[in-house]
Amino acid sequence: MPLSPPAPRTLKHVRRVTYQGFERADGLWDIEGELHDSKAYDAPSFRDAKGMRLAGEPIHHMRLRVTVNHQLVVQAIEVAMDAHPLKGCQEAQPALQQMVGCSMARGWRQAIQKHLGGVASCTHLRELLFNLATAAFQSVPAVFAAANPDEPPRHLGQCTGWDFNGNGVKEYFPQFHRRVPQPKPQTVASTTEKQIKSASSA
């Protein structure tokens, strides 16, 4: 069903983001992301004070290829910045190699912020990386399976459609229907953080 008819308006900005997942012959997986930003009107160029950036020409055009194993641990990462607004933007590329060894399955956003946050890298590459994990989950079937058959797959209880009390779980995973999810065990680190916060607020 389409959206309702819009109010009178003028197109100003277009962002296209695509993700693709590939199973490799060597047993690894390539997850690729591409971001393309453009304006719908001619505007002065940041990189050329005397030049113009024409409507439809990319402001940002960036690609990522992240190679992961079945556990979604990053094995390699490659980046291309075909279009970027400032001359120094490409200096953000080397920092992405710090993501090798990080897991998309757990702590992915925290790892991105730790290694690439602030001026360490590029806002748009970070945005591509954030949602690359979702594409990886959709591409690698093994990540949805629970290691213990008595435990529910990790996607259950994470959205309305997969509510433990809903019809989706009742139909496709009846053994877990109306199951009360067990809280995740508290780590030593999180316990320490809570103790510090309690002490500081006392």
Side-chain angles (χ1 to χ4, degrees), residues 74-90:
V74 177
Q75 308 297 301
I77 187 166
E78 182 180 345
V79 57
M81 301 176 75
D82 296 335
H84 43 88
L86 304 173
K87 293 179 180 179
C89 287
Q90 289 184 314

Side-chain angles (χ1 to χ4, degrees), residues 5-59:
R9 60 187 186 175
T10 301
L11 178 65
K12 294 293 185 179
H13 183 80
V14 177
R15 166 167 289 190
R16 300 196 307 272
V17 180
T18 58
Y19 292 100
Q20 298 183 92
F22 301 89
E23 184 176 10
R24 296 174 21 151
D26 60 5
L28 298 176
W29 295 77
D30 283 340
I31 314 299
E32 296 187 355
E34 180 177 0
L35 180 148
H36 188 286
D37 271 330
S38 64
K39 298 297 183 185
Y41 54 88
D42 298 348
S45 170
F46 283 142
R47 297 180 63 182
D48 181 0
K50 298 180 180 179
M52 294 289 291
R53 184 185 62 246
L54 301 181
E57 290 185 347
I59 305 169

Side-chain angles (χ1 to χ4, degrees), residues 120-134:
S121 190
C122 166
T123 301
H124 301 87
L125 292 176
R126 285 197 298 269
E127 290 180 7
L128 266 180
L129 275 175
F130 281 149
N131 291 314
L132 205 77
T134 303

